[in-house]
Each structure stands twice: as structure tokens, then as C-alpha cells.
Amino acid sequence: MQRYNRYEKARILGARALQVSYGAPVLVESDQTEPILIAAEEYDAGVLPFTVKREGQ
């Protein structure tokens, strides 16, 4: 899994939380109801379909 800095992680979690809040399917089993907490669980599980394109890559 690619390592992300704190800014990339914040952007990924925010984007995913927005998707979840608009009804996107949740990718992990979760007892959470807050989209940001669901996104954090998905991030920790490594199942988020996001990639980060860095300059020079």
C-alpha cells in the first residue's frame, strides 16, 4: 500500500466521506454512522479505491 502524508490522507478521507454521505456503498462492515468515521475505517482496512499522483511520478 502506498504511504500518504497527512495532507493526502486528509484529502482522501474527506473525499470518501463525501461519497459515503451521498449514498456510496460502504466497503467494510462497520457499526459507525458518521461518514468520516466510516471513511477512516475503510482507509485503515486499505480498501479505498484512491491513488495519489505526485509530481515527478
Side-chain angles (χ1 to χ4, degrees):
M1 184 168 98
Q2 184 178 1
R3 299 274 307 173
Y4 300 109
N5 65 39
R6 62 183 168 172
Y7 304 107
E8 293 166 342
K9 181 179 177 182
R11 178 68 176 93
I12 290 168
L13 290 178
R16 182 59 184 153
L18 185 63
Q19 290 177 348
V20 171
S21 72
Y22 280 114
V26 177
L27 303 175
V28 295
E29 291 290 324
S30 178
D31 295 330
Q32 301 295 335
T33 57
E34 292 292 320
I36 192 68
L37 299 177
I38 294 169
E41 284 189 2
E42 291 177 337
Y43 180 88
D44 291 341
V47 296
L48 290 180
F50 287 97
T51 57
V52 173
K53 179 89 168 142
R54 295 186 179 122
E55 183 142 347
Q57 288 186 338

